[in-house]
Amino acid sequence: MQIRTESNSAPALAAVQAQRRAIQQAMIATGEDVTSLWLVQMRRYPAPIALRVSVDVHGRVRSRLGNGYRRTGTLRKSWMRIAPRVEGNTVIAEVRSSGQIAPYNVYVQMEGVQAWQHQGRWETEVQVIERTRGQVEQMARRRAQIALAATT
């Protein structure tokens, strides 16, 4: 079964076009919201290792705080937002990590490439996307509702 309606009504066509523009602008704004959220999440460092215990060659137990690695913040600085863009009917929102700033970034936060010592401590991009999915969907719904309410 197929139902087809046609309208030559200029006001009706203008209203539909206004809604389409409003939704597109709402999705671009959602892209801004989402990239801000993801940027904060990807820049988050896990808590440092609290205590390192070792035994020396004489059997003495030695302990010290941390693992001896001094954090530089370089990985955090490597993350950046890309302005949302429209491709066809899709709004693309991206957060990227620069391999030029932190060439090791993929071994720390990339799903499928993450080094074993970072697994379970550092979130990958896929884990962040999955964990924030509900929040992102809620952002999109809210923006769309506000946009449609403004056009009616």
Side-chain angles (χ1 to χ4, degrees):
M1 181 165 115
Q2 182 179 359
I3 299 174
R4 182 178 169 164
T5 61
E6 290 185 29
S7 174
N8 291 330
S9 169
L13 183 58
V16 169
Q17 289 172 338
Q19 285 182 331
R20 184 178 183 282
R21 282 190 303 276
I23 288 294
Q24 186 177 59
Q25 290 305 311
M27 291 305 99
I28 290 170
T30 299
E32 294 284 350
D33 297 341
V34 169
T35 56
S36 294
L37 171 67
W38 287 344
L39 185 63
V40 167
Q41 299 300 313
M42 293 308 295
R43 284 181 168 173
R44 183 176 293 157
Y45 276 55
I49 296 172
L51 183 65
R52 180 176 170 196
V53 178
S54 61
V55 178
D56 67 15
V57 292
H58 303 291
R60 292 182 294 226
V61 174
R62 305 234 184 234
S63 63
R64 65 182 167 144
L65 290 177
N67 61 358
Y69 174 76
R70 188 178 77 77
R71 290 183 170 177
T72 62
T74 302
L75 186 58
R76 178 181 291 125
K77 295 172 199 162
S78 77
W79 286 98
M80 67 193 93
R81 287 175 12 149
I82 307 300
R85 66 185 184 280
V86 178
E87 292 183 6
N89 289 326
T90 303
V91 174
I92 309 293
E94 292 181 80
V95 172
R96 294 182 187 170
S97 178
S98 169
Q100 291 184 350
I101 295 172
Y104 51 85
N105 59 5
V106 296
Y107 303 114
V108 180
Q109 291 183 286
M110 186 174 179
E111 188 78 19
V113 183
Q114 188 179 45
W116 65 268
Q117 65 266 38
H118 300 304
Q119 293 175 6
R121 287 186 40 78
W122 286 86
E123 275 191 300
T124 65
E125 81 287 11
V126 171
Q127 291 167 332
V128 167
I129 289 168
E130 287 303 317
R131 183 172 53 76
T132 60
R133 182 177 303 280
Q135 192 174 356
V136 168
E137 290 171 353
Q138 185 179 21
M139 289 174 176
R141 262 193 310 277
R142 185 166 185 273
R143 290 276 190 182
Q145 288 169 347
I146 290 168
L148 289 175
T151 61
T152 55

